[in-house]
């Protein structure tokens, strides 16, 4: 469908339950009939979301990434873990220890739970800087540098769609048991020092599952046909450059023509000043003749007739 997205990123998606204070209970299964408003939300939202995620993946090949950062989404005592949704998505668990807390029980500290819940948002966007590495033992060098294992060892916002798709296929093959848990960098919000452990790791999974992320991503069907319209697009800069060149030449020609016309007009003005007409020439000569006769009279008597 043209309106279908290519990829979804769910950041610490919390599915609440019917609860009284801190005591939370599921009630009847939402998939069963007889659900009433007094029973609370039950697991209706979680079940429907999982179905939509699976439908988008099966019908439209839409990828889903799940990033969790608090016990609200990691422990069933606080909310629905929604393992059905995770089974068709990449699952990454952040450890937002920079929020504070008390040692090993810091994740259960209610005073900092709000910070941990919202920490998935900046941590995800900091992921545009790159894909964090895997914790030791590091897997063997994959056959292809363009594979998901080499170019996207931990799913992040920086990973290409094709690489995330490889990890999702591995997740589906492993029936939802695949996940990444943060082991380093939890004390800082900076993603550059992060490190994650993949479970099951490369040494623990089957060769069939590992092959999905060790080989280069397959070329999507029809991609070669879609590349044909790219030829006119690649020529666009050349066409634009040629058009600009033509405009520049036209403007230069107009400028030269205008400059030449201006010089011609100046020469015409100069000629009009230095070459008098016949009438002007006769008047000038007559004035000079009178000046000559007056000068002769001043020198002495003469037969000169001044008229």
């Amino acid at each position: 469908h043209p309106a279908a997205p290519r990829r979804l990123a769910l950041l610490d998606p919390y599915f609440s339950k019917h609860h009284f204070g801190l005591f939370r209970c599921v009630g009847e299964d939402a998939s069963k009939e007889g659900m009433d408003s007094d029973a609370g939300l039950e697991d209706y939202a979680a079940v429907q979301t999982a179905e939509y995620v699976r439908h988008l993946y099966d019908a439209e090949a839409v990828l889903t990434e799940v990033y969790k950062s608090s016990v609200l989404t990691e422990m069933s005592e606080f909310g629905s873990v929604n393992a059905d949704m995770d089974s068709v998505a990449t699952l990454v668990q952040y450890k937002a220890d920079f929020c504070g807390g008390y040692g090993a029980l810091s994740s259960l500290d209610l005073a900092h739970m709000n910070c941990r819940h919202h920490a998935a948002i900046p941590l995800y966007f900091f992921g545009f800087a790159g894909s964090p590495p895997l914790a030791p033992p590091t897997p063997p060098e994959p056959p292809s540098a363009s594979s998901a294992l080499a170019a996207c060892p931990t799913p992040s916002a920086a990973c290409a769609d094709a690489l995330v798709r490889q990890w999702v296929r591995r997740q589906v093959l492993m029936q939802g048991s695949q996940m990444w848990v943060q082991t380093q960098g939890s004390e800082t919000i900076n993603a550059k020092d992060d490190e994650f452990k993949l479970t099951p790791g490369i040494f623990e999974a089957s060769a069939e599952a590992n092959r999905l992320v060790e080989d280069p991503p397959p070329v999507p069907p029809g991609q070669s046909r879609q590349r044909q319209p790219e030829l006119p697009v690649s020529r666009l800069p050349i066409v634009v450059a040629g058009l600009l060149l033509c405009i520049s030449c036209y403007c230069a020609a107009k400028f030269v023509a205008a400059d030449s016309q201006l010089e011609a007009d100046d020469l015409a003005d100069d000629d009009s000043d230095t070459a008098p007409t016949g009438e002007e020439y006769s008047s000038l000569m007559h004035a000079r003749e009178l000046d000559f006769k007056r000068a002769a009279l001043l020198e002495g008597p003469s037969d000169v007739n001044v008229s």
Side-chain angles (χ1 to χ4, degrees), residues 122-123 126-130 132-133 182 185 188-196:
L123 290 174
F126 285 148
F128 276 103
Q182 188 172 4
T188 65
I189 196 172
N190 193 338
K192 293 183 179 179
D193 57 351
D194 291 351
E195 194 174 87
F196 289 82

Side-chain angles (χ1 to χ4, degrees), residues 1-22:
H1 193 278
R6 295 184 306 174
R7 192 163 155 184
L8 297 177
L10 305 181
L11 308 181
D12 209 38
Y14 175 55
F15 300 95
S16 59
K17 303 176 182 179
H18 180 74
H19 65 90
F20 178 75
L22 295 178

Side-chain angles (χ1 to χ4, degrees), residues 17-19 25-28 34-43:
K17 303 176 182 179
H18 180 74
H19 65 90
C25 53
V26 178
E28 295 184 2
M35 175 180 174
D36 54 45
S37 58
D38 294 335
L41 291 176
E42 301 180 353
D43 57 351

Side-chain angles (χ1 to χ4, degrees), residues 9 17 26 41 53 59 83 109 112-113 128 134 140 143 147 153 165 188 192 197 208 228 255 259 275 293 299:
K17 303 176 182 179
V26 178
L41 291 176
V53 168
D109 184 8
H112 301 88
M113 187 175 297
F128 276 103
L134 294 177
S147 64
R165 189 177 307 279
T188 65
K192 293 183 179 179
K197 179 182 179 181
E208 180 184 4
Q228 294 177 358
F255 177 78
D259 188 65
K293 291 180 179 181
E299 292 179 357

Side-chain angles (χ1 to χ4, degrees), residues 166-269:
Q166 286 186 291
W167 284 118
V168 172
R169 289 174 176 171
R170 186 177 187 265
Q171 172 77 309
V172 173
L173 182 63
M174 304 189 70
Q175 300 179 352
S177 61
Q178 172 184 264
M179 64 181 301
W180 287 260
V181 179
Q182 188 172 4
T183 58
Q184 296 290 336
S186 60
E187 297 292 341
T188 65
I189 196 172
N190 193 338
K192 293 183 179 179
D193 57 351
D194 291 351
E195 194 174 87
F196 289 82
K197 179 182 179 181
L198 172 62
T199 305
I202 298 299
F203 298 105
E204 304 167 349
S206 64
E208 180 184 4
N210 291 337
R211 194 176 301 113
L212 294 174
V213 295
E214 291 176 346
D215 296 335
V219 178
Q223 185 174 8
S224 58
R225 293 192 298 271
Q226 295 176 357
R227 288 181 178 179
Q228 294 177 358
E230 293 180 2
L231 184 58
V233 176
S234 62
R235 291 179 178 176
L236 182 60
I238 301 177
V239 174
V240 173
L243 181 61
L244 293 176
L245 181 61
C246 293
I247 295 175
S248 301
C249 294
Y250 174 78
C251 294
K254 293 288 290 183
F255 177 78
V256 172
D259 188 65
S260 301
Q261 183 64 34
L262 183 61
E263 292 181 357
D265 294 341
D266 292 340
L267 291 175
D269 293 340

Side-chain angles (χ1 to χ4, degrees), residues 77-159:
E77 291 80 6
F78 292 88
S80 175
V81 178
N82 207 348
D84 291 340
M85 179 186 67
D86 299 341
S87 64
V88 288
T90 58
L91 174 58
V92 178
Q93 286 190 0
Y94 295 124
K95 300 297 181 183
D97 293 335
F98 57 83
C99 288
Y102 303 98
L105 300 178
S106 59
S107 61
L108 299 175
D109 184 8
L110 298 180
H112 301 88
M113 187 175 297
N114 188 49
C115 172
R116 291 178 177 273
H117 176 54
H118 292 92
I121 300 175
L123 290 174
Y124 170 77
F125 285 102
F126 285 148
F128 276 103
S131 177
L134 294 177
T138 56
E141 192 70 23
S144 174
S146 61
S147 64
L149 184 59
C152 179
T154 301
S156 69
C159 293

